[in-house]
Amino acid sequence: MGTAAAPRRFCRCACFCSENLYVARYGLHVRFRSEQQLRQDYGPILRSRGCVSPKDFQQLLGELEKEVERRQRLGQESAARKALIASSYHPARPDVYSSLQDVALAPEFLAAAEYSTSPGADLQGLLQRLETVSEEKRIYRLPVFTASFCQALLEELDHFEQSDMPKGRPNTMNNYGVLLHELGLDEPLVTPLRERFLQPLMALLYPEYRGWLDTHRAFVVKYAPGQDRELGCHYDNAELTLNVALGKAFTGGALYFGDLFQAPSALANPLEVEHVVGQGILHRGGQLHGARPLGTGERWNLVVWLRASAVRNRLCPMCCREPDLVDDEGFGDGFTREEPATVGVCALT
C-alpha cells in the first residue's frame, strides 16, 4: 500500500520584510535595510513630500522598524488568531460557512464559467458573456455574487468586526478588513471559487497562466469615514486579481488603473472604474492601480489574489529577483520549493 504524498509546503520571499514597505503619509513604497540606505535611496523624494525635519525622519524610521517587526511575526500571529477564532468565535450567519453553492453566484458568472469549460470555448466567446473594461489593459468585469449572498456575507463580517476576536490587517496597505483564512472562509468559499470557477475563466482571459493558479490570498477591505478612505497606487502580490464590491451604500471610491508595472510617478491619465455591488473586476496583479477617496457611506470589497507558484518560483513579483525562500504558514505568498504539477481546469458540477 503506497504512502500518501506529503502536503506541499508554501513559502514567502525574504524580500517581504524589506521591500515595498508602504508609507501612507508620503504616498510611497520603500525598500528598507538601514537608516543609511533609506537616506541615500529616498532622501530627496521624502523631502519633496514633506519629510523635512530630523523629527520627521526619526518618526518614519520608527514606523518602518515597527512594520518590519510586524511582518516578521505575521505568519505565527496569523496562525494563532485563526486557532482562537476557530475555537471561540460564534458566527451570526453560519450559512456563509457552508460549502459554496451555485445559489450564491450570479447567473451571469455561472454562465461565463460554464461556457469556459465547454468544448471549443475560446476568448471571443467568453468576451460576449462579460464586460471588457479595457481591451488594452485586459481588465474585465462581470457579476459574481447575488445580492442576497453579499448581504449575508456583510452581516457576518459586521458581526465579526464587532466581536472581541483578534483581527489582523488584510494586507500591508489596508488597516481595516478581514483575512478570510483567519475567519475560516478559505476552505468553504474561496478555494471552490478559485478551483471551480475562476480557473477556467482566467484560463481563457489570461492564457499565460492557464493551469498554474494553484493558491490564493483572500481578504475583505473596508473603507469608511474615520478609517481607510482611499488607497495609494500599487501592484498586487499576485499574478491575477478579482475585486468584488460587496456593499454597503457608498459614493466615490472608484478604482483607477495605469499600465502594467508602470512607475507610480509616471501615472498621468489613469482609467477610472466605478464599483458596482455584486460585480467583480478582473485584472493582472502587475497592473498599477489604486482607489479614489470614499465620498459617503461604507465600501466593503472582497479581494482574491490568484497566484501561480510555477511563475513566481522563478521571479518574485515584488522584488523582481529570484526568490529567497522562507518557510511560511498556510499558502504563504504562493512560492514552493518544488515544481508544482499543472492545475487542471475543473468542469462545473
Side-chain angles (χ1 to χ4, degrees):
M1 187 174 184
T3 57
R8 295 173 67 195
R9 184 65 187 260
F10 290 93
C11 308
R12 60 175 168 83
C13 179
C15 78
F16 179 68
C17 292
S18 61
E19 307 273 349
N20 295 291
L21 278 67
Y22 184 58
V23 185
R25 185 166 63 258
Y26 303 122
L28 192 66
H29 285 86
V30 301
R31 175 175 179 264
F32 177 57
R33 296 293 181 91
S34 67
E35 178 178 349
Q36 181 180 359
Q37 169 266 322
L38 186 69
R39 289 184 185 275
Q40 180 176 333
D41 292 351
Y42 300 100
I45 191 170
L46 283 169
R47 286 192 292 273
S48 74
R49 299 192 181 191
C51 184
V52 178
S53 69
K55 181 180 178 182
D56 292 336
F57 190 84
Q58 288 304 313
Q59 181 180 359
L60 170 61
L61 197 62
E63 291 172 357
L64 291 174
E65 290 171 344
K66 184 178 179 180
E67 173 64 8
V68 169
E69 293 172 0
R70 186 190 74 85
R71 293 188 183 201
Q72 290 171 339
R73 301 190 306 266
L74 196 59
Q76 289 183 333
E77 291 185 353
S78 179
R81 285 192 299 266
K82 180 179 180 180
L84 179 59
I85 291 166
S87 65
S88 305
Y89 175 62
H90 301 288
R93 294 295 303 259
D95 52 311
V96 304
Y97 294 84
S98 301
S99 183
L100 180 65
Q101 301 297 312
D102 289 1
V103 70
L105 300 169
E108 298 92 335
F109 185 72
L110 288 169
E114 184 174 13
Y115 171 78
S116 299
T117 64
S118 65
D122 60 18
L123 176 60
Q124 291 307 312
L126 178 58
L127 293 180
Q128 296 175 19
R129 293 164 170 81
L130 47 75
E131 175 188 352
T132 299
V133 176
S134 170
E135 182 178 2
E136 176 192 3
K137 299 182 189 301
R138 300 172 72 190
I139 301 172
Y140 309 97
R141 175 162 58 188
L142 79 167
V144 176
F145 297 120
T146 62
S148 59
F149 181 78
C150 289
Q151 182 60 37
L153 184 55
L154 282 174
E155 289 176 11
E156 178 57 27
L157 295 169
D158 261 334
H159 178 70
F160 177 71
E161 184 184 45
Q162 295 164 18
S163 75
D164 60 359
M165 290 290 101
K167 301 165 183 73
R169 288 174 59 184
N171 56 59
T172 59
M173 293 180 70
N174 290 90
N175 296 294
Y176 299 91
V178 179
L179 288 159
L180 293 193
H181 77 276
E182 292 186 3
L183 192 53
L185 284 171
D186 240 13
E187 291 79 6
L189 173 60
V190 187
T191 295
L193 184 68
R194 169 172 59 84
E195 292 181 346
R196 292 182 56 206
F197 302 99
L198 293 176
Q199 282 178 358
L201 268 173
M202 298 304 203
L204 291 180
L205 293 174
Y206 308 98
E208 62 269 38
Y209 299 116
R210 179 182 178 87
W212 298 118
L213 299 174
D214 52 354
T215 66
H216 61 262
R217 178 179 176 85
F219 49 88
V220 172
V221 292
K222 178 189 177 186
Y223 297 87
Q227 299 182 5
D228 291 335
R229 295 185 65 94
E230 61 186 305
L231 193 64
C233 54
H234 62 283
Y235 315 112
D236 292 340
N237 188 355
E239 276 62 65
L240 302 170
T241 296
L242 168 68
N243 186 333
V244 185
L246 300 175
K248 303 177 180 177
F250 60 88
T251 61
L255 286 178
Y256 61 91
F257 289 92
D259 294 330
L260 193 67
F261 294 114
Q262 180 183 17
S265 59
L267 184 64
N269 298 299
L271 170 70
E272 295 208 359
V273 184
E274 297 290 341
H275 290 285
V276 179
V277 173
Q279 295 197 9
I281 297 169
L282 306 169
H283 64 87
R284 292 171 292 180
Q287 203 80 42
L288 184 70
H289 63 286
R292 297 298 188 200
L294 183 74
T296 60
E298 290 185 11
R299 177 166 71 83
W300 295 68
N301 282 58
L302 168 63
V303 179
V304 182
W305 286 351
L306 299 164
R307 291 164 164 173
S309 60
V311 176
R312 57 184 43 225
N313 283 353
R314 291 170 171 77
L315 186 73
C316 172
M318 305 312 288
C319 66
C320 298
R321 297 188 295 268
E322 182 179 348
D324 178 9
L325 298 180
V326 178
D327 287 340
D328 205 358
E329 302 290 333
F331 284 147
D333 270 341
F335 300 92
T336 60
R337 295 190 184 277
E338 71 279 353
E339 287 301 312
T342 301
V343 177
V345 177
C346 303
L348 297 180
T349 59

